[in-house]
Amino acid sequence: MVKQVQNVKRNTFENLEAPDYVWKSGKFIPWDKATFHISMLGWSSINMVFEGIRAYYNENDDQVYVLHLNEHLNRLTESMKMMRMHPYIETEKLKEVILELIRKNKYKADTYIMPLAYFGDGPPGFLPSGDRLGDMAITVKPIDSLLTSDNTLNVGVSSWRRISDDVMPPRIKSIANYQNGRYAAEEARINGYDQSLILNSKGKVAESTYTCVFMIKNKTLITPSVTSGILDSITRKSIIEISKNELGLNVEERDVDRTEFYVSDESFICGTGGEVQFIGKIDGYTIGKGTPGIISKEIQTLYHNLVRGLDHRYHHWRTPTY
Ligand code: PMP
């Protein structure tokens, strides 16, 4: 029996349904058996790196398409290199393991895939202990997509600054880096905002919480550059690609002031988990009419059709699971 889980309502990552199997240290193992000893708590995740990957279920094709699998695994390899961690398995093999894990869990649903790479033993994580083999675990869980939603976010500029390349390199997708986004997310929650806009050490816009940001002014798509304190986002790259090639938009990657966002015609956030979500307000300033902008909606729809394979172009974005 294949699990048809796409209609079950789940709104938060915490609410996600547990899979039957995960993969750890070379083996597929049942969820309940995937445990660590209490002594692993603490320093074990200080140098942990990971990826967040989405797969989309296409009902017509009865297929689960993993989005940008190669790009995510390349970024994971680069994160491991920066951690001086030798990969537990080769990328090609890892690709196979991820697809097999989705099949083993019989998922025919939108799915979130999270490979984690870490030093599983040896000296405490705060000691220099790299240039050795890392261990690896992978979890998968069903997740809802927001790509047909017209919800608009109420965003506030955070008082926290984004980490920078000379302190905690944001290019590395490491668990430790997420404390920065969490401070901003907590501040947003306390102040009644849905999300925050985080400035970098120069006071220019970097990104939102766990997502990159775009604004549109006079039909030009503008986003902070990859050296402005952002994670080098795969979704951001895809949005730039389709906006240029399919929608004919001019794209500028550069330093962006917060006030440019205040007076933008449209703005939105994007990411693998965050997908494409519209911004309605920033610091109380209404963006456009406060509703989804026409160009942003076009981008969201095109992105959705491509990632789910409803639009058959850009087939290199999608790796079929079955
Ligand atoms: N910034 C941060 C801090 C993130 O965690 C993410 C999500 N991975 C993004 C940006 C968006 O990156 P991507 O499009 O590759 O998911």
Side-chain angles (χ1 to χ4, degrees):
M1 250 288 280
V2 160
K3 273 191 200 162
Q4 297 287 347
V5 285
Q6 66 269 28
N7 293 325
V8 180
K9 198 82 208 116
R10 291 174 200 82
N11 293 317
T12 66
F13 280 51
E14 293 74 25
N15 257 342
L16 297 172
E17 182 183 285
D20 291 339
Y21 292 96
V22 303
W23 182 93
K24 182 181 169 296
S25 314
K27 290 195 193 90
F28 294 100
I29 49 176
W31 173 264
D32 293 344
K33 302 263 187 261
T35 56
F36 283 103
H37 191 264
I38 191 172
S39 61
M40 284 290 289
L41 279 176
W43 301 118
S44 64
S45 62
I46 195 171
N47 38 31
M48 184 182 276
V49 294
F50 75 106
E51 271 304 317
I53 309 170
R54 261 194 195 256
Y56 289 90
Y57 179 61
N58 181 315
E59 217 167 350
N60 301 332
D61 301 354
D62 193 24
Q63 183 59 265
V64 175
Y65 291 115
V66 182
L67 180 63
H68 294 308
L69 184 54
N70 289 325
E71 288 77 2
H72 280 284
L73 297 187
N74 287 343
R75 189 168 65 188
L76 183 63
T77 305
E78 289 181 2
S79 292
M80 284 189 275
K81 178 177 181 177
M82 292 297 295
M83 279 299 166
R84 302 187 192 281
M85 183 188 292
H86 302 177
Y88 183 82
I89 60 172
E90 288 169 11
T91 304
E92 277 310 305
K93 179 86 179 112
L94 180 56
K95 223 156 67 177
E96 271 314 304
V97 166
I98 286 173
L99 298 175
E100 180 59 23
L101 187 57
I102 298 171
R103 290 193 292 263
K104 247 187 125 51
N105 282 295
K106 301 187 169 63
Y107 282 161
K108 291 270 177 107
D110 291 355
T111 303
Y112 189 77
I113 306 144
M114 194 168 172
L116 297 158
Y118 49 93
F119 292 120
D121 54 10
F126 61 87
L127 293 177
S129 58
D131 285 323
R132 63 192 177 95
L133 191 66
D135 204 341
M136 185 168 262
I138 311 168
T139 57
V140 290
K141 292 176 179 183
I143 188 174
D144 281 340
S145 169
L146 296 166
L147 279 173
T148 50
S149 168
D150 280 341
N151 184 46
T152 54
L153 300 169
N154 183 14
V155 172
V157 171
S158 177
S159 67
W160 296 98
R161 288 293 166 104
R162 182 70 181 142
I163 48 175
S164 57
D165 199 56
D166 56 344
V167 179
M168 294 272 281
R171 180 164 289 100
I172 306 176
K173 197 164 166 65
S174 76
I175 291 286
N177 281 358
Y178 280 73
Q179 195 54 250
N180 180 234
R182 193 171 163 276
Y183 285 133
E186 281 295 324
E187 184 186 38
R189 184 178 67 81
I190 297 294
N191 293 336
Y193 293 117
D194 302 314
Q195 285 287 354
S196 51
L197 202 59
I198 311 172
L199 308 181
N200 63 25
S201 52
K202 291 197 296 185
K204 303 292 179 184
V205 175
E207 46 172 54
S208 182
T209 327
Y210 321 134
T211 49
C212 281
V213 288
F214 281 93
M215 55 163 271
I216 297 167
K217 185 78 176 179
N218 300 328
K219 299 203 163 58
T220 297
L221 190 65
I222 302 166
T223 191
S225 72
V226 289
T227 53
S228 56
I230 66 169
L231 177 74
D232 192 351
S233 152
I234 293 161
T235 316
R236 174 186 172 282
K237 231 175 255 167
S238 305
I239 299 288
I240 290 174
E241 186 181 359
I242 58 174
S243 299
K244 269 187 192 162
N245 298 345
E246 309 308 325
L247 305 178
L249 296 176
N250 291 326
V251 179
E252 291 178 10
E253 298 176 61
R254 59 167 173 81
D255 280 354
V256 188
D257 288 333
R258 67 194 280 181
T259 48
E260 290 187 89
F261 266 87
Y262 291 163
V263 295
S264 62
D265 299 332
E266 304 180 21
S267 51
F268 61 91
I269 62 169
C270 79
T272 302
E275 300 181 304
V276 176
Q277 295 181 58
F278 311 112
I279 297 178
K281 269 188 181 181
I282 305 174
D283 285 350
Y285 294 105
T286 302
I287 307 305
K289 295 193 174 72
T291 52
I294 291 171
I295 299 173
S296 308
K297 185 70 195 170
E298 255 187 292
I299 292 172
Q300 186 205 46
T301 304
L302 177 59
Y303 180 77
H304 180 222
N305 289 342
L306 289 170
V307 297
R308 203 176 284 288
L310 304 172
D311 183 329
H312 291 107
R313 295 173 297 169
Y314 291 75
H315 56 88
H316 57 282
W317 284 17
R318 302 178 296 273
T319 304
T321 301
Y322 292 92

